[in-house]
Amino acid sequence: MTESTAAAQDDQEQPTIYTAYEIDFMLSLRETEAGAITREQVGLRSAPEEAREFVTAAVTSGLRARGKVERSADGQWLLGSEGQVVATALTAADRWLGIALSEGEAMRMAFVIKANQAIIMLTQDELDSFVVSALPNPEEVAASVTDIVLAFLDEGEQRTVSLRRTDATAPQEAAPLMFHVEADGSWQLAHLPLDEEGILTVSPLAREQVSAAVAALWEQGTSQAPAA
């Protein structure tokens, strides 16, 4: 193996990581309604007004040093090929799936963002950064999310996976779904409808029913009890 080949493989194996401020900056280059929903779904917050100029300078400097952006002759910031793909998905999204893995007070978040046939996943790396990865196509999202749900819940009791699907056609009507493993090892599913107190309905769940429940949520936006 040559030195250049080894270096190329190392580059390919390096995860793509963006901070929350970097993602916010990428969204700001093309303001869209979908981009605004992405901000809300991912929980991104722009820097305070008094610090915005400083933060933007730091963000663009960091992105430029990593080869993610360049400055055009007329002073405009231009994203590299990788950043263009990510930013396009974020600003043209039509479906979002939030994933929260919870054990006690510890929580890890991930987000699947779909824009037509393009799918990216943002996985929380640290408190303020995300690993960005691509999924092959919309048809494989349910299987990928099911793998995440099962892998997490199989590791122990008293764990919860919360899913929330949002569609661009009705961004205020997110469909929630929760999987939980009780202390006795039994599995539960929390789903719509809400009761009078605004609490999800809870039904017993078999492990082999997780896949169908995830698929129904992702593909149809359906949150319901597992089929008998």
Side-chain angles (χ1 to χ4, degrees), residues 126-197:
E126 299 294 343
L127 183 62
D128 62 346
S129 64
F130 298 90
V131 175
V132 182
S133 55
L135 296 180
N137 56 63
E139 290 69 33
E140 295 189 28
V141 170
S144 297
V145 173
T146 297
D147 288 344
I148 294 171
V149 173
L150 292 176
F152 183 73
L153 295 181
D154 282 341
E155 290 183 5
E157 290 77 34
Q158 301 286 45
R159 290 175 170 234
T160 302
V161 178
S162 302
L163 305 180
R164 181 190 68 231
R165 177 194 138 140
T166 304
D167 196 282
T169 58
Q172 304 305 318
E173 299 177 9
L177 198 65
M178 296 177 63
F179 301 91
H180 180 72
V181 179
E182 300 286 357
D184 62 3
S186 62
W187 291 43
Q188 304 287 338
L189 180 70
H191 55 86
L192 294 176
L194 300 176
D195 63 18
E196 295 179 354
E197 298 181 356

Side-chain angles (χ1 to χ4, degrees), residues 85-112:
V85 172
V86 174
T88 297
L90 295 175
T91 58
D94 54 59
R95 190 183 307 169
W96 298 261
L97 182 69
I99 307 169
L101 310 178
S102 305
E103 181 182 15
E105 296 183 0
M107 179 181 293
R108 181 61 61 92
M109 301 291 297
F111 305 89
V112 177

Side-chain angles (χ1 to χ4, degrees), residues 13-48:
E13 293 173 359
Q14 292 296 317
T16 299
I17 298 177
Y18 289 99
T19 68
Y21 280 142
E22 287 174 338
I23 294 174
D24 182 69
F25 170 76
M26 294 163 70
L27 285 167
S28 71
L29 294 178
R30 180 188 172 210
E31 296 288 354
T32 65
E33 183 176 351
I37 299 173
T38 295
R39 273 197 181 92
E40 184 66 26
Q41 293 299 308
V42 180
L44 297 175
R45 296 293 180 266
S46 299

